[in-house]
Amino acid sequence: MPKKKEPCDFCSEDNWWTEEGTDGHSVAIEIYPENMHFSITSFARKENGETEEIPLEFEMNFCPKCGRKLMW
């Protein structure tokens, strides 16, 4: 039976960050390893001044840094 892999610094806690562009467009990236969840949300300002939001959500079964299988 394989040995259980210890969590790395990336998958052992909540991580999130936001990057913002200069032209009224921003991208928010949220990563929740303990919930096996990864989401990217794009915010863009339309010509009429309204903000459009485009969300993408993914299930994350393995840590992208150390490869450990994530589970509840």
Side-chain angles (χ1 to χ4, degrees):
M1 180 178 264
K3 212 169 31 167
K4 191 170 184 178
K5 200 172 206 180
E6 291 296 316
C8 68
D9 59 341
F10 182 84
C11 64
S12 63
E13 58 185 65
D14 266 355
N15 294 293
W16 70 271
W17 62 90
T18 301
E19 294 180 26
E20 194 165 326
T22 57
D23 58 352
H25 181 261
S26 64
V27 176
I29 301 171
E30 298 178 72
I31 301 171
Y32 299 101
E34 76 282 351
N35 292 332
M36 299 168 44
H37 181 79
F38 177 86
S39 71
I40 301 171
T41 306
S42 174
F43 300 94
R45 189 171 309 277
K46 294 181 178 181
E47 289 181 9
N48 63 3
E50 294 179 13
T51 301
E52 183 175 3
E53 178 181 332
I54 302 171
L56 296 170
E57 295 187 16
F58 304 95
E59 185 175 311
M60 184 172 61
N61 295 315
F62 296 91
C63 175
K65 186 172 181 182
C66 70
R68 181 178 73 91
K69 181 168 178 61
L70 302 173
M71 60 184 75
W72 284 321

